[in-house]
């Protein structure tokens, strides 16, 4: 019997060089190799693309027209394919309303759960609310017991301050003879007097019955009549005891609030039915921030502490302080000396007036002064008044006022919904005492046992069971991939790149399919070595359930756990695209041709570093952003510092959300928000450059040259040539994006897309320009015998000697070469770049801006998509930056990068609320001695 395999023959997609390979089915297969060696081209652009294309083609013509169809890859044949699912390394959709719950579809199931088995409560008094069907009302009336005397009433008016004569007259005409006015029985045949000027309640008595089995039919008729008369509400009034209010809709029997119908939309903050009316489902609002309005608490009101009033002596400042003179506050006292209640009343309103002095005069006392309106409400009212006066005309004065107040605004938690995003109805619904607001705030690891322990009975338990099973399965996958500390209400805008990748992974893997080909792009991205074992268990479980798991990966632990490994290389681009070794991880370690083999051998590779010159350090103190617990951390100047720790431990909060804004404020000599903590120590940097995980443009027009800023200088170079000047060509002539110099047949794209109706669209080389993007006249202008299209067709390494005298261009080319991107063609479409190549292009763009000015470089997981051999190149660049006196701070999990650091800040011990503390700080050797999870991971490299 032949082995079951996915047999790939003659793969030539992108840089693949006629690759033949047999990938075992129902196995965990890893494809590794240097960035740009062809891993993505083989796994995604060939195997996955063909599997997806065949699956879509198996559908009927009607279904195919709604699906994006992939082009047939350049391959002779692939056999043994299954339907394919891909989890690519791409940015998660981070909209303002996107959360972990919405991305994983946990929120959808929670909405149904709460709509079907939830107990509504009154938004005012908190009492349980329920709706009654007519049959339930009859049953409730019968429950008063045999012989009980009961009045059936229909509410007509509640808290009405008006003359009820018209209502009373209408009730008489309708044949009713009795009513209850403010709880007192009245005869409608009499002249009923209604006191004017006060609120009244009016119920009409529909019937008075004695509860017996024989009276059930009469009760039914009376309740039906009461429902029609009272607009769906009935009041049962026993002879002894309290009256009961029953409604066909959810209604509070005390406050009389009628809730809308409870549906899944009630719990969706993306719909008007469920969203908070104040923040419109965002959970945050832009509002005046007291910390910005009065940032210096050492100053007094008289001394100009309220910045929004202008400097002391200004007209607005004089008017506002004069208005405050009559209130109980010392205008000459520093704000810090005021108690919290007084400071809050000053800002938000409620400051009491000064007590009047005792007087023996018999003069009539003055009218009582109202409490102070508050600094923030006054400013908002000032803006609202100016807008009302301006009407539709945006005056210069109004624009100036709006811009002036904008300086004092910040985005904060919505006070109405307390950040839950939901309206009052949704917030008041509970399942076994658990509200959706509480569910959204619980970490996944705590939510699972809480949901498992819900006490539900009867039909509720039957309805909830399948929903709870699916929710638990998705929460389990989040835990398996190392992000169980995330809450379902966590906004995706706050996730790191690694967290976003693994949330997407959990979403795709949570379907529990069998017989599927899963193609994953670096699932270990952003995962601490301590948590890699859990990821491996998830991948192995997928395999054991009967799936084929094909992973593009660089993590050595994942490679060692694979059943089969394909090592691509030997280098990148045109120097790659071949299989240099395949087999088990042991086979690769023993192979002299394998690029990955040397890194799989258990050998120490990081020598002890010589200590750099002490230039002082940036010191962050009192950091409390997100989950940080009053952290104090040191970042040595002129050194390579790595911030490490398990996922969710607070690395991004410390570096991106705290260190970066504090240093930027210090460089600009501007005040920083007090909530960030303080920056002390020696601030030597004069520039700040941050390289984040935002992907580069992936359109056909985007190229490495355009992204790193080469095209501008190149266009200027060609426009300055004698031939171009003689023809009157300007810089725009050498742009493929505008008319004049580009080929108009393909509009400067080099390719033409042909719609094929039910078949996937076909992309062909432009027959007019041959894919060169420019028209014939533009291409006649040459530099050193090369047209601009010829130059863009060169690799970075080929172009470097030709452009060595062009300083702005040469510096960028040199940086790209140093980062291992010398093989990339300058005009290569960004759609053909791998994740690692795109990340290093982003690095090259920032690092090419090197200056002699001391600079703070902040990099967020720069090893994303990099093979260990590429990491060596990256480290050489970072070390050189530190050698030049720059301060480099890197958020990283890669043990090799951590082991090379001059200083390590290790956070933990866990993620989420259990993190946010510094476990150890110092050299890599000191981290090893501290015994932290990071120390254990880098210990073998420092042996």
């Amino acid at each position: 019997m032949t082995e079951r395999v996915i047999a790939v023959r003659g793969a030539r997609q992108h840089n693949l060089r006629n690759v033949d390979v047999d990938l075992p089915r129902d196995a965990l297969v890893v494809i590794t190799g240097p960035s740009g060696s062809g891993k993505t081209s083989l796994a995604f652009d060939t195997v996955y693309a063909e599997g997806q294309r065949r699956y879509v083609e198996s559908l009927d013509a009607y279904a195919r027209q709604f699906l994006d169809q992939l082009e047939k890859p350049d391959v002779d044949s692939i056999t043994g394919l299954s339907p394919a699912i891909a989890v690519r390394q791409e940015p998660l959709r981070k909209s303002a309303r996107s959360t972990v719950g919405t991305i994983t579809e946990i929120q959808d199931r929670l909405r149904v759960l709460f709509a079907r088995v939830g107990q509504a409560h009154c938004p005012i008094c908190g009492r349980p609310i329920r709706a009654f069907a007519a049959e339930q009302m009859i049953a409730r009336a019968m429950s008063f017991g045999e012989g009980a005397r009961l009045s059936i009433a229909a509410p007509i008016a509640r808290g009405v301050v008006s003359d009820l004569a018209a209502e009373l007259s209408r009730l008489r005409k309708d044949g009713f003879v009795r009513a209850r006015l403010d709880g007192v029985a009245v005869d409608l045949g009499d002249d009923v007097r209604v006191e004017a000027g006060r609120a009244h309640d009016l119920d009409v008595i529909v019937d008075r019955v004695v509860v017996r089995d024989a009276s059930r039919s009469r009760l039914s008729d009376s309740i039906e009549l009461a429902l029609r008369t009272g607009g769906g509400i009935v009041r049962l009034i026993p002879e002894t005891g309290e009256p009961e209010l029953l409604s066909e809709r959810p209604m509070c029997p005390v406050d009389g609030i009628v809730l809308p119908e409870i549906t899944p939309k009630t719990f969706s903050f993306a719909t008007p039915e469920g969203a908070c009316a104040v923040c419109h489902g965002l959970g945050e609002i832009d509002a005046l921030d007291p910390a910005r309005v009065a940032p210096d608490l050492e100053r007094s009101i008289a001394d100009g502490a309220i910045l929004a009033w202008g400097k002391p002596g200004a007209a607005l400042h004089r008017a506002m302080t004069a208005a405050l003179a009559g209130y109980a506050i010392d205008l000459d006292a520093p704000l810090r000396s005021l108690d919290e209640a007084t400071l809050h009343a000053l800002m938000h309103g409620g400051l009491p007036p000064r007590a009047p002095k005792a007087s023996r005069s018999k003069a009539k006392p003055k009218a009582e002064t109202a409490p102070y309106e508050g600094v923030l409400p006054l400013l908002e009212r000032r803006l609202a008044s100016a807008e009302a006066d301006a009407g539709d005309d945006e005056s210069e004065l109004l624009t100036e006022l709006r811009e002036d107040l904008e300086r004092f605004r910040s985005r904060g938690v919505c006070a109405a919904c307390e950040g839950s995003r939901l309206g009052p109805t949704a917030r008041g619904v509970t399942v076994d005492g658990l509200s959706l607001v509480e569910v959204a705030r619980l970490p996944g690891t705590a939510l699972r046992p809480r949901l498992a322990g819900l006490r539900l009975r009867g039909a509720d338990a039957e309805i909830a069971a399948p929903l709870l099973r699916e929710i638990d399965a998705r929460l389990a996958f989040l835990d398996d991939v190392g992000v169980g500390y995330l809450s379902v209400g966590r906004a995706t805008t706050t996730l790191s790149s690694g967290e976003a990748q693994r949330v997407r992974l959990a979403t795709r893997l949570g379907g529990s399919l069998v017989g599927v080909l899963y193609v994953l792009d670096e699932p270990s991205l952003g995962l601490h070595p301590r948590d890699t074992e859990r990821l491996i268990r998830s991948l192995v479980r997928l395999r054991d359930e009967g799936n084929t798991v094909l992973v593009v990966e660089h993590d050595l632990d994942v490679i060692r756990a694979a059943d089969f490994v394909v090592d691509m290389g030997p280098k990148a681009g045109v120097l790659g695209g071949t299989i240099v070794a395949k087999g088990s991880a042991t086979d690769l370690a023993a192979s002299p041709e394998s690029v990955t083999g040397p890194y799989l051998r258990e050998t120490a590779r990081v020598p002890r570093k010589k200590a750099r010159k002490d230039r002082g350090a940036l010191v962050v103190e009192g950091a409390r952003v997100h989950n940080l617990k009053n952290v104090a951390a040191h970042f040595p100047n002129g050194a390579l510092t790595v911030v490490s720790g398990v996922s969710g431990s607070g690395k991004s909060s410390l570096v991106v959300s705290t260190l970066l804004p504090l240093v930027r404020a210090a460089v600009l000599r501007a005040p920083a928000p007090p909530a960030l903590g303080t920056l002390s120590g020696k601030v030597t940097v004069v520039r700040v450059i941050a390289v984040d995980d935002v992907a580069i443009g992936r359109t056909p027009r985007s190229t490495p040259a355009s992204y790193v800023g080469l095209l501008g200088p190149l266009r200027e170079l060609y426009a300055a040539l004698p031939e171009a000047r003689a023809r009157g060509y300007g810089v725009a002539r050498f742009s493929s994006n505008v008319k004049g110099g580009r080929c108009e047949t393909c509009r400067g794209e080099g390719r033409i897309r042909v719609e094929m109706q039910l078949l996937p669209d076909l992309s062909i080389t432009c027959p007019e320009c041959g894919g060169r993007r420019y028209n014939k006249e533009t291409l006649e202008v040459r530099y050193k015998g090369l047209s601009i299209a010829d130059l863009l067709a060169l690799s970075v390494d080929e172009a470097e000697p030709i452009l060595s005298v062009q300083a702005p261009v040469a510096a960028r080319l040199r940086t790209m070469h140093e980062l291992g991107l010398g093989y990339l063609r300058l005009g290569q479409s960004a759609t053909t770049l791998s994740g690692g190549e795109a990340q290093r292009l982003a690095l090259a763009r920032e690092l090419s801006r090197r200056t002699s000015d001391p600079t703070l470089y902040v990099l967020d997981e720069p090893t994303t998509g990099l093979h260990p051999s590429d990491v060596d190149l990256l480290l050489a660049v970072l070390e050189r930056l530190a050698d030049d006196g720059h301060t480099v701070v890197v958020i990283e999990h890669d043990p090799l990068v951590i082991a090379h650091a001059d200083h390590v800040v290790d956070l933990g011990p866990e993620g989420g609320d259990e993190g946010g503390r510094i476990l150890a700080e110092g050299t890599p050797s000191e981290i090893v001695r501290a015994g932290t999870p990071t120390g254990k991971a880098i210990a073998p490299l420092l042996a």
Side-chain angles (χ1 to χ4, degrees), residues 15 17 32-39 567-580 593-595 797 817 820 823 837 840 867 869-870 873:
N15 68 331
R17 293 156 66 178
T32 190
S35 181
S37 60
K39 304 182 300 298
D567 199 12
M568 304 293 295
K571 294 185 179 180
V574 295
L575 301 178
T578 62
I579 296 175
V580 296
E593 291 83 16
S594 173
V595 183
D797 288 344
H817 172 79
Y823 62 89
E837 289 168 335
R840 280 184 292 165
H867 186 268
S869 61
D870 301 315
L873 297 173

Side-chain angles (χ1 to χ4, degrees), residues 306-364:
I306 312 297
L307 291 187
W309 292 352
K311 296 179 180 180
L316 180 61
H317 183 271
R318 290 200 309 271
M320 292 293 108
T321 51
L324 262 177
Y327 290 90
I329 190 169
D330 186 351
L331 302 182
D332 296 311
L335 294 186
R336 192 179 297 281
S337 67
L338 303 177
D339 61 77
E340 188 175 338
T342 301
L343 195 56
H344 185 274
L346 170 69
M347 288 295 171
H348 300 278
L351 195 67
R354 292 185 188 278
K357 294 181 180 180
S359 175
R360 296 180 180 179
S361 171
K362 295 183 179 181
K364 187 177 180 181

Side-chain angles (χ1 to χ4, degrees), residues 465-476:
L467 294 167
L468 291 173
R469 276 198 302 271
E470 291 201 33
I471 293 170
D472 185 73
R474 281 166 166 75
L475 289 172

Side-chain angles (χ1 to χ4, degrees), residues 599-874:
Y599 299 93
L600 290 169
R601 300 177 196 130
E602 297 288 350
T603 56
R605 297 188 293 109
V606 181
R608 291 187 181 277
K609 293 178 64 174
K610 184 179 178 181
R612 298 187 190 274
K613 180 182 177 182
D614 185 3
R615 294 185 170 93
L618 298 167
V619 182
V620 172
E621 295 179 299
R624 298 178 299 276
V625 173
H626 300 145
N627 67 333
L628 296 179
K629 310 293 193 302
N630 204 33
V631 163
H634 296 72
F635 301 90
N637 291 310
L640 171 59
T641 298
V642 172
V643 180
S644 61
V646 298
S647 301
S649 58
K651 300 182 298 297
S652 296
S653 297
L654 176 59
V655 177
V656 178
S657 302
T658 304
L659 176 67
L660 262 180
L662 284 175
V663 176
R664 281 176 173 150
V667 169
L668 297 172
R669 297 182 180 179
L676 294 181
T678 60
L679 180 70
S680 59
K682 191 174 182 181
V683 182
T684 61
V685 300
V686 297
R687 295 174 69 238
V688 178
I689 293 179
V691 182
D692 57 24
D693 62 331
V694 177
I696 72 170
R698 294 299 187 93
T699 68
R701 291 187 182 277
S702 180
T703 65
S706 64
Y707 188 75
V708 300
L710 285 174
L711 275 184
L714 287 180
R715 288 197 291 262
E716 291 173 1
L717 169 65
Y718 275 84
L721 294 175
E723 179 69 16
R725 296 175 67 181
R727 297 187 180 199
Y729 292 168
V731 174
R733 179 80 190 195
F734 299 94
S735 170
S736 61
N737 294 324
V738 297
K739 287 184 177 182
R742 72 181 184 186
C743 169
E744 287 303 321
T745 302
C746 63
R747 296 179 180 271
E749 290 193 15
R751 301 187 70 80
I752 297 176
R753 183 166 292 276
V754 181
E755 293 187 6
M756 301 294 287
Q757 298 300 324
L758 297 180
L759 295 175
D761 292 348
L762 191 63
S763 179
I764 62 171
T765 301
C766 174
E768 184 66 28
C769 66
R772 306 183 79 191
R773 301 183 179 226
Y774 296 91
N775 59 32
K776 181 181 177 182
E777 291 74 23
T778 304
L779 295 176
E780 289 174 353
V781 179
R782 296 176 178 270
Y783 173 74
K784 294 187 179 181
L786 299 172
S787 68
I788 190 168
D790 296 329
L791 192 60
L792 292 174
L794 298 179
S795 68
V796 170
D797 288 344
E798 291 169 338
E800 196 172 357
I802 296 172
L803 298 169
S804 59
V805 296
Q806 307 295 326
V809 175
R812 290 175 169 83
L813 293 175
R814 187 162 53 251
T815 303
M816 293 172 71
H817 172 79
E818 290 170 348
L819 288 170
L821 297 174
Y823 62 89
L824 287 184
R825 289 181 289 108
L826 298 180
Q828 182 175 337
S829 173
T831 57
T832 65
L833 299 178
S834 68
E837 289 168 335
Q839 176 78 348
R840 280 184 292 165
L841 270 182
L843 278 173
R845 181 177 68 171
E846 299 299 341
L847 297 182
S848 62
R849 300 174 184 175
R850 276 186 232 168
T851 68
S852 57
D853 296 330
T855 302
L856 170 63
Y857 288 93
V858 173
L859 296 89
D860 190 354
E861 295 194 51
T863 62
T864 299
L866 299 190
H867 186 268
S869 61
D870 301 315
V871 175
D872 288 335
L873 297 173
L874 172 67

Side-chain angles (χ1 to χ4, degrees), residues 129-175:
I129 293 177
R130 60 173 295 191
F132 292 84
E135 280 297 321
Q136 292 173 310
M137 294 180 185
I138 296 168
R140 177 63 190 129
M142 295 294 295
S143 71
F144 280 93
E146 186 79 12
R149 295 180 178 278
L150 192 66
S151 296
I152 313 297
I156 301 300
R158 181 183 176 89
V160 174
V161 184
S162 65
D163 185 5
L164 294 175
E167 288 290 346
L168 294 170
S169 175
R170 180 180 65 80
L171 293 174
R172 290 190 198 98
K173 290 180 181 178
D174 289 342

